[in-house]
Structure formats: C-alpha cells, structure tokens
Amino acid sequence: MKRVLFFLIALSIGGSLTAKEGMWLPHLIAQLNYSEMQRMGLQISAEDIYSVNQSSLKDAVVHFNGGCTGELISSQGLLLTNHHCGYSQIQSHSTLEDNYLKDGFWAASREEELPNSGLYAAIIKEIKDVSNDVLEGTTTEMAEAERDSIIQSNRQSLLAKMKEAYPKLEFELKDFFFGNQYLLISKTIYNDVRLVGAPPSSVGKYGADTDNWVWPRHTGDFSIFRIYADSNNQPADYSADNVPFKPARHLKVNIAGVREGDFTMVYGFPGSTQQYLPAAEVQNTVEHYNPARIAVRDKILMILDEKMRKDEATRLRYASKYARISNSWKRWKGEILGIERTHAIEALRKEERLFEQTCKAIPELQTEQHLVAEMVDLYTKRRPINMERYAYIEVGYFGIEAFRHVLGYGKLVSLAEAGRTEELKAEAERLAKAMEGFKKDYDYDLDLKVAKNILPMYLKAIKTEPGEEVRELQGKDMNEQIEEIAEMFEDAPYFASDFSEKLLKDPAKMAKKIADDDLYELSWEMYDHYFQVLNARNREFELKIEALQARYVRALQRAFPKKPFYPDANSTLRVAYGQVKSYEARDAVIYQSQTHLSGVMEKYIPGDYEFDLPQKLIDLYEKKDYGRYGKDGEMPVCFIATNHTTGGNSGSPVLNARGELIGLNFDRAWDGVMSDMYFDPSICRNVMVDLRYVLFIIDKLGGASYLVDEMDLVTVHPDDQKEVKEDAVESESTETLKKAG
C-alpha cells in the first residue's frame, strides 16, 4: 500500500522533497514526472529520456539476460553491467589454470572476446498501452476465473497478431496495477554477447557477503561485454563473421564526479516490488515468510561456507551458487529490521484508516471502504498454503541440487514409456551433455549434507494432502529420515561415473531404472504436489486477491486524484530519480554519500576470502597513481542516492542531470532494504559504483585503456556546463545589445 498520508503531505509542500519514491514508466515521464524532475535538477527533455520517433536514452539501456540491466557505452556495442550480473559467464570460462574469477579477464583484441551460449541482451523498441484490447469482453462484475480466461485469450490473440506482423521483434504483454492496465512491449533480442573484461573478484566482489546490502561500500561491481550483430547490424546467433553492434544511442561517460545534492536518474529493469500490500500481509512477510526461508538458507550457507573456506576448488564451483543463496537471505533479514525500525506496519495501518475515512466521505467510493478488511481476510487465510509453498521452493527446488536435477529426466521417462525410440535417443544425448555441465559444478557430499539438514524441515512443514512418499517419511523420526535420505543418494544412478555412458548405450533401460529410483520418485512427488495441490490452492486465493487489489488501486486513484501513482515493478523498463544524499542511519551515526579507495585499504585483510586485494591495486594506492580519475588526492569508489530501486536494477545506468553516465547501480543500503514493501525517504538509498572507479580499474589495474578510448568522456560537471552555457547566452545577449545601441 502506498503512503497515502505521505501523498497528502507531498501535495502541501509543492514537490520540494529531495527523495523521490517510485519506479516510473518512461513513456509517461512527460505527463507525470518531468516538472518535478526539472525542479530537482534535470537538464534534458522528456523526449531525450524516451522517444519512439528518434533515438533516446532508452536505446542505450539493455535488459541483460532477463535478470539484470546493462548499458551501451560505445558506438561499437560495448556493454557495461555489474560483475555479479556477469558472474556466471565469468565463472563458466574459468578453470583452475585460467581463473578469471580470481585474476580477472581483459580481452586484448576482439578475437579474444569470449562468446557465451544462452546469454542475450534485449533493447526496447516501443511501449504501447493495449488495455482496451486485452480487457475487451470483460467486466469488473465477472467472476474472477471467467474474467481471467477472457483476458488470457485476448492476450494470446494479440501477441500472435503482433508476431505475425513483425517477425523480427519479440513481444511481451505486461499487466500493471493488478490488471487495470496492460502494456505491449516490443524489443529486439541480441544473442551474440561476448565477455570483454572483468576485474578480479577481489575488486568486483570486494566485501562479498559481509558487505552485501551494507553501506559504506567499496566494491568495483562491474563487468564488460560486447554485443555482436550480422553485417547488416541485425541480431544473429554467434558467428565468427559477426561484427560489433552499432547502437542507435550510447551513453556518454562523465568523469567530473558527483556532489551532494546532484540529480540522479536510474534507468533499468527493476524486477518485483509489493508497494500496495495491506499492513497485515507485510506483517505476514516479516513474521512468518521471511523467518521460515531464512531458517532453511541458514543451514545451507553454513554447510557451503565451511567447505568453501577450506577448499579452493569448491569455492570456485560454488561461488555463484553461494552468492545467489546468500543474496536473498540477507535481504530478507534486512527487510525485517527495516520494517521494525520504521514502524512501517503501524504507519500502514494508519494510512488504511485514512483511506477508509476518505471513502466514507466520497459517495461514489463508499462501497470500497471495506476493501482493506476483505484483502486482509484473504491474505490471512492464504498464509498456511504460502508457508508450504515456500518450504518446497527453498528445500525441494533451490535447496537440494540433486532434487532439482533429477526433475530434468521426466521427459526421458515419458518417451520411454511411450516407446518413442528416436526421440528417446535424442533426449538421452541431450541429457548426457547436460550431465557434464552439472557435474562440473556439483559436489555430491556437500549436497547430501545439505539434504540431510533441510529435507526434514520440508517434511515438518507440509500438511496439505502430502503424497505417499512424503507421508511415509513424515511417519519416521528425524534420524530415520536422515538415514533414508542417505540411502536414496547412495542408490541413485546419476552419480555413477559411467552414468552417461550407460544412458547413451541403452536409453530405454536407463529410463526404467530412473523411473524406479527413490530419489526421482520423491523429487517428482514433491514437485507435483507443489503445482497440483499448493499452487492450485494458491491460485484460487490469488485470483480473488488480485481482483480486490485492482479495485483498491482504482479506489486510491479516485480518492487522491491529484497524486500520480506508479505500478509495482515487474521487470519492465522504468525510471527512478532522486539525488546524491547522505543519511542518518541511527542516533549519532551519519553516513556520507561517497566512499574512496582509502576505505578499501582500511578493510584490506591479506589472503581473506572477502577482503583480499591485488598487489597492483595496493601499489597504485600507495603511489596515488589515479590518473585522470582521482580527485583531490583521493580515488572515489562508490556513492549513494535516493533513487527507488530493487532487484533487476543491478547494472542499471545511473545518469546525471544531462543524461551522462556517472554510476552503475548494484545494491541498496541495509537500513532501507525494505523499500520493496515500504519506502522511507529518510533512509532508503541505492548504492552505485562510481564510473571514475570503473575506468580507473579498467585503465590502471587492468591495463585495458583501449576500452576507455572507445568511450565518449565528458570532464565537466552538469552544473558547470550549465553555468558555461548561461554565461555564453548572457555574453551573446550583451553583445547584441551593444550592437543595437
């Protein structure tokens, strides 16, 4: 739920706030936000930010592999994103002999840039409102299931028409405000994206898990890729004949630095927020859902960390997995602390009462005054099902690697049972190849230990119609459960050294053996239970909840018509704007907005997993050899601002008042990480690596100055550019008057 009280206060003070909540649709900036952005310092036009008819900043913003954001920073398709966004690609090219995670990687030529199978970059062409087309034939009085069925049919029909008319484009239809609005997004997909450069993890992941979600931060979280296209500058699969992509727009890089109070704009693809939840569901999240998920990941992380610290090969194989598990685990903890500290639940309840009172006072809204109570009732009734769903997700899918892996053999078993010999052979070949990749980054003993520790947690949580295998395990004590888990792993055929050989030799025989395997049976039973029982029950609640949430947003917009509302993030292109700003974390503790290389050195611990440093960087620091990137004898590293961001904004360009690149978004400060549900402008801060540090690392540490030479650098701060322009205009006016006189 939005801060309605905050809305009213904002109206009364005429938009003078320096911290701006919201993730705004770029094609509506001119209508909703532009005046306020100008007051906060923006110096470019709304058309410069988003345009369909001419190149604009949107053409330089890339959806990187569907989960992160990147930006084009040269006319030759050079793409910048976070180190953690490119982590799996860097890892996939790493070996113990050529450990790019540890040592970094810099392609010395285009020929040395490394291709990445499956990696893609998407550039938005147009965002168009198609609400009338999608909602045609529906009414708000319809039963939820009937209305949803019509909408899904309309969606499929519209997407099919667009794909037929524009076969070279990809399309997606996204709903906003819980189905009150639908936008059609067209985009171009580029599948040849090559790794160009990455700093060593001791720079790109400096502070690792200890510093994750924490300010002050000292991480050079960036990596560099390049998009390739065919000779006509069109998307193409990887080929040695492809050439660097020439974008319609690339970003200029400003190395003049940032100042307290500077305007900042984050342009990217935020993943998911829940800004319109009632207080009761926020409470469910911080008191029930988050603690349950944290408890499972506590055990997983403890087991992985113990072995990763002892064994370099394990650390290399599990680095990406550990980071992925740890990231949400720590955020969930921060959400709990942030909600408690800001008294968000109490504040939201006050706002809900204000909404109800406002509805009572407006005749046409009186029927909506009980909406919050109706939503709370549904969220409360759904909570037990959600607890079981999270138990499966954390344990059966993301927690135990073997369980998720064996789900991939379902097609093989089905083909064998159907007697489809040729397809069976092809599937066996595919699985044999996939097994090579799985084993490369898999530790049997580690996964077994994880399974012994967390499967009993799943068995304890599941109460709604468990399957036969699960019921049998639930009837045993924990020691017996652990013994049975060990037997399942020991008897499973997948871990044998000759598994792939046997699979290829006789696919039908191996398919039968897999179908009878206890590990396979249990994993599939848990998976089917999740979808057929838990998700089915959840969907019944979800349809009713979404219908109420849609009515609620409509009622909010009618109750407070002068206030613009923004939709929840859903991995669509958004703009968030704010200012570089320090903040008071707690009594007598004030965090400044900029960190420096001196702070990196203060944290340095030789040989440490998280805080080691390359000797060359230490040497550069001691010599103060910062080139043109330092300022006043210091090397800036990271900074914070008041932009409203979330997951998916990783790698997003941070732009100054003139739309020039000054930072690379990669995190949020721990104190305000609850901003997905409740944005508090006093402490919510996004964390960015300063582009001066990025270029310093590329040039001075990596020795890849040729990459900097590709970029268009600006050396004047926007305020100084403005002053120069104003002085020039004033001088020209004076000269004109003199001549006229």
Side-chain angles (χ1 to χ4, degrees):
M1 175 180 184
K2 285 320 306 124
R3 255 87 30 236
V4 177
L5 186 60
F6 175 73
F7 291 165
L8 298 178
I9 294 171
L11 288 172
S12 71
I13 61 178
S16 62
L17 293 174
T18 58
K20 179 62 187 176
E21 176 181 359
M23 302 173 187
W24 303 89
L25 292 163
H27 70 295
L28 299 177
I29 288 291
Q31 300 168 237
L32 299 178
N33 313 96
Y34 186 64
S35 295
E36 182 179 46
M37 294 170 78
Q38 280 188 306
R39 288 196 297 272
M40 292 174 66
L42 181 67
Q43 297 177 23
I44 58 176
S45 70
E47 189 82 354
D48 287 326
I49 297 171
Y50 177 92
S51 177
V52 176
N53 301 316
Q54 61 187 37
S55 69
S56 60
L57 292 175
K58 81 164 174 62
D59 299 308
V61 182
V62 173
H63 205 181
F64 186 80
N65 214 31
C68 284
T69 304
E71 54 273 356
L72 293 161
I73 55 171
S74 86
S75 61
Q76 297 297 305
L78 206 60
L79 185 155
L80 187 65
T81 189
N82 284 157
H83 186 268
H84 74 262
C85 292
Y87 202 85
S88 61
Q89 283 75 38
I90 303 166
Q91 181 189 36
S92 70
H93 292 295
S94 296
T95 63
L96 287 174
E97 293 75 27
D98 294 308
N99 192 337
Y100 300 140
L101 282 179
K102 181 180 178 182
D103 304 324
F105 169 78
W106 306 101
S109 65
R110 299 275 168 85
E111 290 72 29
E112 291 186 8
E113 295 175 358
L114 302 174
N116 301 280
S117 177
L119 178 64
Y120 69 91
I123 299 177
I124 301 298
K125 182 175 179 61
E126 185 179 6
I127 302 171
K128 183 179 180 182
D129 194 312
V130 292
S131 301
N132 291 338
D133 298 304
V134 176
L135 295 173
E136 184 179 3
T138 69
T139 66
T140 54
E141 291 77 25
M142 276 181 172
E144 292 86 1
E146 181 185 4
R147 187 171 186 271
D148 183 62
S149 177
I150 294 173
I151 287 172
Q152 295 308 321
S153 177
N154 290 343
R155 288 172 66 113
Q156 292 171 12
S157 176
L158 181 58
L159 285 170
K161 289 178 183 177
M162 297 306 298
K163 190 62 180 174
E164 183 178 358
Y166 303 97
K168 292 184 178 180
L169 295 177
E170 293 293 327
F171 295 90
E172 62 178 345
L173 252 174
K174 290 279 193 174
D175 69 284
F176 299 80
F177 295 118
F178 300 94
N180 281 316
Q181 182 182 28
Y182 289 85
L183 298 181
L184 179 70
I185 301 165
S186 57
K187 52 191 175 180
T188 307
I189 307 292
Y190 296 88
N191 292 313
D192 188 353
V193 184
R194 306 181 194 179
L195 178 63
V196 175
S201 291
S202 52
V203 172
K205 204 171 181 286
Y206 189 71
D209 304 300
T210 297
D211 275 6
N212 191 24
W213 302 111
V214 171
W215 182 257
R217 200 69 184 271
H218 298 88
T219 310
D221 195 348
F222 76 93
S223 57
I224 307 175
F225 291 78
R226 191 187 303 277
I227 299 176
Y228 279 76
D230 67 16
S231 58
N232 297 314
N233 207 39
Q234 295 300 308
D237 291 335
Y238 171 79
S239 168
D241 296 328
N242 286 346
V243 295
F245 169 63
K246 293 179 172 55
R249 181 77 168 256
H250 67 274
L251 301 177
K252 294 180 179 179
V253 178
N254 190 301
I255 59 171
V258 298
R259 303 167 183 170
E260 183 80 5
D262 276 359
F263 175 86
T264 54
M265 178 169 63
V266 174
Y267 212 157
F269 294 85
S272 177
T273 57
Q274 296 175 295
Q275 298 292 326
Y276 295 89
L277 290 178
E281 182 65 356
V282 175
Q283 187 170 5
N284 283 337
T285 300
V286 299
E287 293 185 2
H288 299 282
Y289 303 149
N290 281 6
R293 291 184 287 183
I294 288 167
V296 176
R297 296 197 181 199
D298 276 340
K299 290 184 179 293
I300 297 172
L301 291 170
M302 179 184 67
I303 292 166
L304 298 188
D305 181 73
E306 182 181 14
K307 188 164 184 181
M308 287 172 68
R309 288 185 179 275
K310 294 176 181 176
D311 182 62
E312 179 66 25
T314 302
R315 182 161 64 179
L316 181 61
R317 288 200 302 272
Y318 276 79
S320 182
K321 297 174 189 176
Y322 187 95
R324 185 173 60 246
I325 296 166
S326 174
N327 191 55
S328 294
W329 166 82
K330 195 168 184 178
R331 175 171 58 82
W332 294 332
K333 288 188 170 187
E335 284 177 347
I336 294 171
L337 293 175
I339 292 295
E340 290 175 348
R341 179 193 164 185
T342 57
H343 307 289
I345 293 169
E346 295 90 333
L348 289 170
R349 288 201 170 112
K350 288 180 182 178
E351 293 159 12
E352 289 166 2
R353 289 194 290 271
L354 177 61
F355 168 74
E356 291 167 359
Q357 292 163 8
T358 305
C359 287
K360 288 178 184 178
I362 302 174
E364 61 267 28
L365 288 179
Q366 287 177 358
T367 57
E368 309 294 66
Q369 62 183 286
H370 302 300
L371 274 174
V372 173
E374 292 177 48
M375 287 192 296
V376 169
D377 180 60
L378 285 172
Y379 277 119
T380 302
K381 289 177 179 176
R382 188 186 69 165
R383 189 176 73 202
I385 292 295
N386 250 4
M387 292 294 287
E388 293 188 43
R389 288 178 67 247
Y390 285 133
Y392 173 74
I393 292 168
E394 293 301 318
V395 175
Y397 194 77
F398 288 117
I400 305 171
E401 293 181 81
F403 276 30
R404 184 171 68 254
H405 176 74
V406 301
L407 292 174
Y409 294 92
K411 184 177 179 180
L412 183 84
V413 171
S414 297
L415 290 172
E417 291 174 349
R420 293 156 66 175
T421 308
E422 289 303 313
E423 292 174 79
L424 179 66
K425 182 180 178 182
E427 180 65 6
E429 290 172 354
R430 186 190 71 80
L431 289 170
K433 187 175 181 180
M435 174 57 81
E436 293 177 18
F438 175 72
K439 284 188 174 181
K440 178 177 180 287
D441 294 323
Y442 181 71
D443 185 316
Y444 172 90
D445 293 327
L446 212 52
D447 196 31
L448 175 58
K449 190 171 183 179
V450 167
K452 288 178 178 179
N453 276 269
I454 67 174
L455 187 59
M457 300 174 78
Y458 168 84
L459 297 172
K460 184 177 180 180
I462 298 302
K463 297 177 174 62
T464 306
E465 302 175 20
E468 182 180 348
E469 298 287 334
V470 169
R471 287 199 308 273
E472 183 180 331
L473 282 168
Q474 286 176 328
K476 300 179 178 182
D477 64 36
M478 186 176 292
N479 288 332
E480 290 174 322
Q481 290 172 353
I482 291 172
E483 286 178 12
E484 188 139 346
I485 293 165
E487 289 176 7
M488 285 183 189
F489 268 73
E490 187 176 345
D491 295 339
Y494 326 95
F495 310 117
S497 59
D498 59 351
F499 171 73
S500 293
E501 182 183 336
K502 289 181 177 179
L503 179 63
L504 292 171
K505 184 178 180 180
D506 194 339
K509 182 177 180 181
M510 284 304 296
K512 186 178 187 310
K513 188 170 184 179
I514 289 169
D516 294 334
D517 174 54
D518 289 339
L519 193 66
Y520 177 86
E521 288 182 354
L522 178 60
S523 181
W524 267 99
E525 183 182 283
M526 290 165 59
Y527 180 83
D528 287 340
H529 177 261
Y530 173 78
F531 278 100
Q532 296 174 16
V533 178
L534 301 179
N535 263 14
R537 297 277 183 90
N538 181 66
R539 184 59 179 161
E540 292 172 10
F541 281 110
E542 200 68 32
L543 288 171
K544 295 175 182 177
I545 286 170
E546 287 181 0
L548 288 176
Q549 291 269 192
R551 283 175 56 193
Y552 177 57
V553 172
R554 289 197 299 271
L556 274 175
Q557 291 169 329
R558 292 164 67 193
F560 307 100
K562 293 184 180 180
K563 184 66 188 180
F565 288 77
Y566 67 94
D568 273 324
N570 59 355
S571 295
T572 54
L573 190 61
R574 304 293 181 93
V575 170
Y577 55 97
Q579 291 176 300
V580 176
K581 194 171 180 64
S582 56
Y583 73 102
E584 184 175 356
R586 48 195 171 276
D587 184 40
V589 177
I590 297 176
Y591 284 134
Q592 300 300 318
S593 57
Q594 180 88 61
T595 60
H596 302 88
L597 189 55
S598 55
V600 176
M601 302 309 301
E602 288 171 2
K603 293 180 176 179
Y604 169 50
I605 304 172
D608 184 72
Y609 168 54
E610 299 176 304
F611 296 102
D612 199 6
L613 286 170
Q615 183 59 47
K616 186 176 180 180
L617 183 60
I618 298 170
D619 295 340
L620 289 168
Y621 170 75
E622 290 177 346
K623 296 174 184 176
K624 298 293 184 283
D625 184 6
Y626 305 142
R628 52 183 164 170
Y629 315 111
K631 185 176 179 63
D632 300 327
E634 289 269 24
M635 183 64 244
V637 174
C638 295
F639 65 101
I640 52 172
T642 62
N643 305 98
H644 193 178
T645 62
T646 188
N649 275 127
S650 291
S652 293
V654 184
L655 309 172
N656 64 15
R658 296 184 63 82
E660 298 157 346
L661 187 64
I662 55 173
L664 193 61
N665 193 82
F666 71 93
D667 207 353
R668 284 174 284 167
W670 175 262
D671 306 275
V673 77
M674 77 296 176
S675 59
D676 285 353
M677 295 179 286
Y678 184 86
F679 186 88
D680 187 318
S682 68
I683 60 171
C684 288
R685 297 290 182 273
N686 63 308
V687 181
M688 299 146 282
V689 57
D690 196 306
L691 252 292
R692 291 172 290 178
Y693 190 56
V694 171
L695 299 192
F696 164 73
I697 294 297
I698 293 172
D699 188 348
K700 292 291 187 175
L701 182 67
S705 58
Y706 61 93
L707 293 175
V708 179
D709 294 340
E710 262 193 57
M711 306 173 201
D712 296 334
L713 301 189
V714 179
T715 59
V716 183
H717 188 276
D719 289 348
D720 299 336
Q721 293 181 54
K722 186 178 181 182
E723 289 172 8
V724 169
K725 186 176 180 180
E726 288 173 349
D727 288 346
V729 171
E730 183 179 344
S731 176
E732 185 178 339
S733 300
T734 303
E735 190 64 31
T736 302
L737 286 171
K738 284 180 180 179
K739 289 179 180 179

